[in-house]
Amino acid sequence: MPQISAFRGVRYDLGHVGSLSDVIAPPYDVIDPALQDELYKKHPANVVRLILNRDEPGDDEHSNRYTRAAQFLRNWRREGVLFEEGQPAVYVYHQEFQERGQTFTRRGFMARVRLERLGEGNIHPHEETHSGAKQDRFKLWKACRANLSQIFGLYPDPENAAQTLLENATAGQTPLAATDHLGVVHRVWPVADVGVINAVAALMAGKPAYIADGHHRYETALNLRDDLAAELAARGEELPADHPANFVLMMCVSMSDEGMLVLPTHRLFRGLPTMTAEQLAAKLGDAFTTEPAGEGPHRALSLWEEIEAEGEQGTFGFYTAEDNRWTLARLTAAGRKRMAEVAADHCPEWQGLGVSILHRLVVDTLLESPNLPAPKYVRALDEVPAGLTEGDSAGRDLTGQQGSGGRFELAALVMPATVEHIRAISNAGERMPAKSTYFYPKLLSGLVINPTE
């Protein structure tokens, strides 16, 4: 892990806003228009007005959603709705949530982390990014001069030593608490003890960090730093090493944390020609063994339980809309050989990843459809039968893409990548296909803001 440091975070004053639950929000990229409207109505100071301000009639380059967000931030700080921490702190952050009938708690801490160029230091990405999202966040963060949301970073710590230090430092203290729209309980404790912070920083020194979520925001922070450095250079000045723009707000979670779950993101494909289960099996050929696995969209629920129990990256559940049937497909030795050939530009760990096999071998090669529109990505399993029943018009998906109408010709149930996949592929200097992982629950925006000036 590169250098971590405490900072004077900007937080909501509960004396002004009342319940913290009323002013927090999930990350901007999972907020659809309905949720945006709900958050707007929930409280006049809800953080959605900063992270995802609405477009308004008459917007131009001088008055727009970015300038409005910056104005809200300035006003709230001036009015005392938000206040700056009196002492530099790091922030212990717990998330208590339910998954498959079990209760989990994911533990981590938020701190400033010194920026490093990806591929040149000890911070590693694992997914590709898109220019549009980076341009959007750049305009917002530059206008607000603050990190409004955290990067989610993983680090190796088999004994969870760093987190244990912080847990001991907060034992018996009352946390700040909020419950989000999904029922996840979020708890935060500021830690300002210099001795504890220095001990944590020493434990973290030299450890690699793997970006789990927030790739666009991390690259935006790099771009903002470079932009400020260029402005100063034009005046014959240098960016000081300790300037806040040299850092980014990161939630640091140990890879060994018991609440560290990686969940699947299934696919509903647009644009494929119609095909039956029999035709699909013929196209898969000797690369897979196939067997009938039931009928109807709702068979996805029980079929996924079987696939998940098997736990193999090369096992898939495919639904063909033409005949309303499911097929269970398992990668063969011949399929692994073919995958190695068509993905020779990638490392063996990338080649063995379920989403890589699905997109590179199945869709691009065996189905001969390399230029399909982006699939609809779904995390909640019950969204698979809903999407297959309602068709490609059921709202926005995880990327914010609106359905275009018509049915999905093919669905794929696919295993998620593991934390070890992230480590191995990142260490090889590669990135996974889009939506290889889904880290649940999402980190809240509005718990703490990191000023960058």
Side-chain angles (χ1 to χ4, degrees), residues 192-426:
D193 186 304
V194 175
V196 172
I197 294 169
N198 288 342
V200 171
L203 284 171
M204 299 294 286
K207 294 183 184 296
Y210 303 92
I211 299 175
D213 204 2
H215 290 79
H216 294 95
R217 280 163 276 166
Y218 186 87
E219 293 188 23
T220 294
L222 286 170
N223 292 337
L224 284 167
R225 181 194 65 181
D226 293 348
D227 183 73
L228 178 57
E231 287 182 9
L232 292 173
R235 302 199 300 263
E237 303 173 25
E238 291 187 359
L239 184 66
D242 61 350
H243 192 284
N246 281 313
F247 297 81
V248 70
L249 178 59
M250 183 178 288
M251 166 70 161
C252 304
V253 177
S254 167
M255 289 178 162
S256 303
D257 184 75
E258 292 182 356
M260 187 59 239
L261 303 184
V262 186
L263 303 180
T265 301
H266 305 301
R267 271 75 166 153
L268 305 180
F269 286 96
R270 312 167 166 98
L272 280 166
T274 59
M275 74 181 90
T276 64
E278 184 177 355
Q279 291 169 329
L280 172 65
K283 289 178 179 293
L284 296 180
D286 66 353
F288 289 85
T289 61
T290 59
E291 61 183 76
E295 298 183 355
H298 285 86
R299 168 63 172 138
L301 307 180
S302 56
L303 180 58
W304 174 244
E305 291 182 359
E306 299 172 23
I307 294 170
E308 190 175 36
E310 195 167 303
E312 293 293 331
Q313 290 286 315
T315 299
F316 303 89
F318 291 114
Y319 172 86
T320 44
E322 184 67 10
D323 57 1
N324 195 34
R325 291 170 58 189
W326 286 93
T327 298
L328 186 62
R330 297 182 177 90
L331 188 69
T332 63
R336 283 190 289 274
K337 181 179 179 182
R338 185 76 184 277
M339 180 63 181
E341 293 170 353
V342 299
D345 53 332
H346 291 285
C347 65
E349 291 82 6
W350 192 97
Q351 294 173 8
L353 195 64
V355 290
S356 302
I357 297 166
L358 173 62
H359 288 278
R360 180 66 65 90
L361 178 61
V362 176
V363 176
D364 292 358
T365 305
L366 302 178
L367 299 185
E368 301 179 285
S369 300
N371 298 312
L372 285 181
K376 180 180 176 70
Y377 299 104
V378 292
R379 203 291 289 181
L381 186 60
D382 58 6
E383 291 180 18
V384 175
L388 295 176
T389 301
E390 298 170 13
D392 189 18
S393 59
R396 296 180 184 272
D397 64 14
L398 293 176
T399 66
Q401 183 167 337
Q402 180 67 47
S404 58
R407 74 180 182 184
F408 295 104
E409 293 298 336
L410 183 73
L413 305 180
V414 56
M415 287 291 292
T418 65
V419 169
E420 284 308 311
H421 284 119
I422 294 170
R423 188 204 308 251
I425 293 172
S426 298

Side-chain angles (χ1 to χ4, degrees), residues 169-181:
T170 57
Q173 297 181 18
T174 302
L176 302 162
T179 302
D180 68 22
H181 67 297

Side-chain angles (χ1 to χ4, degrees), residues 29-289:
D29 54 354
V30 298
I31 299 176
D32 63 17
L35 180 56
Q36 184 187 37
D37 187 57
E38 178 184 330
L39 293 169
Y40 256 79
K41 293 175 180 176
K42 201 164 193 178
H43 195 285
N46 189 283
V47 74
V48 73
R49 287 175 171 80
L50 305 183
I51 63 171
L52 192 64
N53 198 276
R54 286 170 168 163
D55 290 319
E56 301 287 353
D59 278 357
D60 56 31
E61 61 177 314
H62 303 294
S63 178
N64 51 60
R65 59 196 182 102
Y66 307 113
T67 61
R68 277 191 296 277
Q71 187 63 54
F72 274 121
L73 182 58
R74 287 191 296 271
N75 289 347
W76 293 348
R77 294 188 68 174
R78 185 175 60 250
E79 295 162 3
V81 175
L82 295 169
F83 72 96
E84 189 170 284
E85 205 81 61
Q87 301 178 66
V90 298
Y91 298 81
V92 175
Y93 182 9
H94 290 186
Q95 295 171 285
E96 183 180 306
F97 60 100
Q98 303 285 324
E99 181 64 26
R100 298 294 182 92
Q102 290 183 265
T103 299
F104 295 90
T105 300
R106 187 169 67 197
R107 297 171 172 86
F109 66 93
M110 293 180 284
R112 275 181 178 165
V113 174
R114 183 173 289 279
L115 289 164
E116 294 182 352
R117 293 201 183 281
L118 299 176
E120 297 180 6
N122 223 8
I123 297 180
H124 307 277
H126 84 270
E127 284 190 349
E128 298 292 345
T129 57
H130 306 285
S131 60
K134 287 184 285 189
Q135 291 170 4
D136 169 65
R137 293 299 94 178
F138 182 87
K139 292 176 182 177
L140 177 63
W141 285 12
K142 185 171 183 178
C144 292
R145 299 183 184 277
N147 299 154
L148 302 174
S149 305
Q150 319 88 326
I151 312 301
F152 186 178
L154 301 175
Y155 65 94
D157 188 358
E159 304 302 322
N160 293 325
Q163 190 67 33
T164 299
L165 270 179
L166 291 166
E167 298 296 321
N168 292 339
T170 57
Q173 297 181 18
T174 302
L176 302 162
T179 302
D180 68 22
H181 67 297
L182 298 176
V184 179
V185 180
H186 304 256
R187 299 184 177 94
V188 174
W189 296 259
V191 176
D193 186 304
V194 175
V196 172
I197 294 169
N198 288 342
V200 171
L203 284 171
M204 299 294 286
K207 294 183 184 296
Y210 303 92
I211 299 175
D213 204 2
H215 290 79
H216 294 95
R217 280 163 276 166
Y218 186 87
E219 293 188 23
T220 294
L222 286 170
N223 292 337
L224 284 167
R225 181 194 65 181
D226 293 348
D227 183 73
L228 178 57
E231 287 182 9
L232 292 173
R235 302 199 300 263
E237 303 173 25
E238 291 187 359
L239 184 66
D242 61 350
H243 192 284
N246 281 313
F247 297 81
V248 70
L249 178 59
M250 183 178 288
M251 166 70 161
C252 304
V253 177
S254 167
M255 289 178 162
S256 303
D257 184 75
E258 292 182 356
M260 187 59 239
L261 303 184
V262 186
L263 303 180
T265 301
H266 305 301
R267 271 75 166 153
L268 305 180
F269 286 96
R270 312 167 166 98
L272 280 166
T274 59
M275 74 181 90
T276 64
E278 184 177 355
Q279 291 169 329
L280 172 65
K283 289 178 179 293
L284 296 180
D286 66 353
F288 289 85
T289 61

